[in-house]
Amino acid sequence: SSGINAEYGWVGRNVSDIFVNSLYNAASASDLPDIQNGLEPFDNSISTMVHDLISLCAKVRDAPYTLISVREDSRFGTLFLQHLVEDRSDGQISYYEFLQKVQQQVG
């Protein structure tokens, strides 16, 4: 297999500063670039778990694998949302409705 497989990670403006610091070595989500390709490994459990997941995906797909992070309030945030594919079955809520529900429950 050839090429690089990528997954996109949405970094919401209300994400925990501890999470952002552990995964990106930044103080808060607002300190992140609009879009970031790949992640540096850091010596903490969150970074280790995410890198283990990325490694597993690369192994399963037998190809290089990366995570592209998109900050919610960046110019890419809207573009990212516009390209989400609606995956909805009869009787199930849409992904957008799901995200709204999660947002309501969280905050």
Side-chain angles (χ1 to χ4, degrees):
S1 176
S2 64
I4 294 178
N5 291 291
E7 290 294 331
Y8 289 83
W10 178 258
V11 183
R13 64 178 145 252
N14 294 322
V15 67
S16 159
D17 291 345
I18 294 170
F19 182 82
V20 170
N21 184 265
S22 297
L23 196 56
Y24 298 98
N25 198 30
S28 69
S30 63
D31 295 325
L32 297 175
D34 290 352
I35 190 167
Q36 178 174 321
N37 186 3
L39 290 173
E40 290 183 45
F42 296 105
D43 189 19
N44 64 69
S45 61
I46 292 173
S47 180
T48 300
M49 285 187 288
V50 171
H51 278 85
D52 286 350
L53 178 61
I54 292 169
S55 295
L56 178 62
C57 291
K59 186 175 183 177
V60 168
R61 294 179 184 209
D62 193 28
Y65 200 84
T66 190
L67 176 69
I68 299 172
S69 302
V70 178
R71 201 181 73 230
E72 177 181 5
D73 59 356
S74 74
R75 65 183 186 272
F76 296 102
T78 303
L79 183 64
F80 176 83
L81 286 177
Q82 289 173 348
H83 287 89
L84 285 177
V85 175
E86 183 77 28
D87 185 15
R88 185 176 186 171
S89 300
D90 290 335
Q92 293 183 339
I93 63 174
S94 70
Y95 186 67
Y96 177 74
E97 292 166 332
F98 168 75
L99 289 177
Q100 285 183 316
K101 186 175 182 177
V102 169
Q103 185 178 20
Q104 288 170 351
Q105 290 177 351
V106 171

